[in-house]
Amino acid sequence: MALDTLHDLFIYELRDLYDAEQQILTGLPLMAQAAKAPQLRQVFEDHLKETRDQIERLDAIFHGIGVSFTGRSCKAMQGLLAEARDTLQEEADPEVLDAALIVEAQKIEHYEIAGYGSVRAFAQELGYKDAERLLTETLKEESAADEKLTHAAESRVNEKAATADEAKV
Ligand code: FE
Ligand code: FE
Ligand code: FE
Ligand code: ZN
């Protein structure tokens, strides 16, 4: 599509995010299944529910503007999820695999945060108030998911330290 205006770019990037979210919808259950720590599995399961809401918000935005959501396939998300699948195929210690899942998931969240941060800024600039509000909600969820993953990583490290202490005494 021709990118003549900021409105065009707004739609262009929203369509990329729409396809990325659809891919994430199929990727998150695999990551939840593979997670060993219940806390980490819960983060993935909760974010799967949020992802469905995020897709509904994008639907609402497309509907509000009167354009279709089709037309782009997010090659970056194809790559990120292909890497995650590769990692899951590796023969790995279960705890190390959890750490690996966190890395893969945070790469995905940061990609989304970059995309949503930009489209929200465009919505603000274009005066699309409803879209701006909906995108702010999603952006908060993506940032919260990123933080929960960091906490999951921290508790994994703390648990490991505690186990090491026990081994010493
Ligand atoms: Fe998302
Ligand atoms: Fe993309
Ligand atoms: Fe996300
Ligand atoms: Zn971050």
Side-chain angles (χ1 to χ4, degrees):
M1 68 183 271
L3 301 176
D4 294 326
T5 64
L6 193 63
H7 170 90
D8 295 339
L9 181 62
F10 179 63
I11 304 300
Y12 185 76
E13 292 300 333
L14 280 177
R15 285 174 172 164
D16 184 75
L17 282 163
Y18 190 88
D19 184 69
E21 294 287 14
Q22 293 289 348
Q23 293 184 49
I24 290 166
L25 213 50
T26 62
L28 275 173
L30 302 176
M31 296 173 90
Q33 228 170 36
K36 178 180 167 272
Q39 186 204 355
L40 180 60
R41 189 176 312 134
Q42 194 62 50
V43 173
F44 289 137
E45 282 171 1
D46 291 346
H47 202 47
L48 179 62
K49 287 185 203 127
E50 288 172 340
T51 298
R52 294 197 189 99
D53 295 338
Q54 293 171 359
I55 289 170
E56 276 181 29
R57 286 185 204 117
L58 288 173
D59 272 325
I61 294 169
F62 288 119
H63 192 80
I65 298 171
V67 297
S68 96
F69 55 77
T70 55
R72 291 206 67 196
S73 65
C74 179
K75 293 182 184 69
M77 194 54 65
Q78 285 169 15
L80 287 168
L81 287 168
E83 284 189 14
R85 276 192 295 273
D86 283 352
T87 302
L88 288 176
Q89 306 274 306
E90 300 287 352
E91 204 180 300
D93 171 274
E95 276 171 30
V96 178
L97 191 74
D98 271 6
L101 282 171
I102 292 170
V103 179
E104 307 294 356
Q106 284 195 303
K107 287 178 179 174
I108 291 169
E109 294 315 315
H110 283 217
Y111 180 81
E112 294 187 280
I113 289 166
Y116 278 113
S118 296
V119 289
R120 184 183 61 164
F122 297 157
Q124 190 177 19
E125 196 174 337
L126 292 161
Y128 299 161
K129 295 278 177 228
D130 289 344
E132 186 190 342
R133 179 179 50 78
L134 292 166
L135 293 168
T136 297
E137 278 179 53
T138 294
L139 193 52
K140 276 188 199 155
E141 288 174 352
E142 307 295 21
S143 297
D146 182 43
E147 272 174 44
K148 284 183 216 163
L149 288 164
T150 297
H151 289 147
E154 285 165 357
S155 67
R156 187 190 58 75
V157 171
N158 291 339
E159 215 170 283
K160 197 143 204 168
T163 316
D165 280 350
E166 279 164 30
K168 269 183 230 157
V169 289

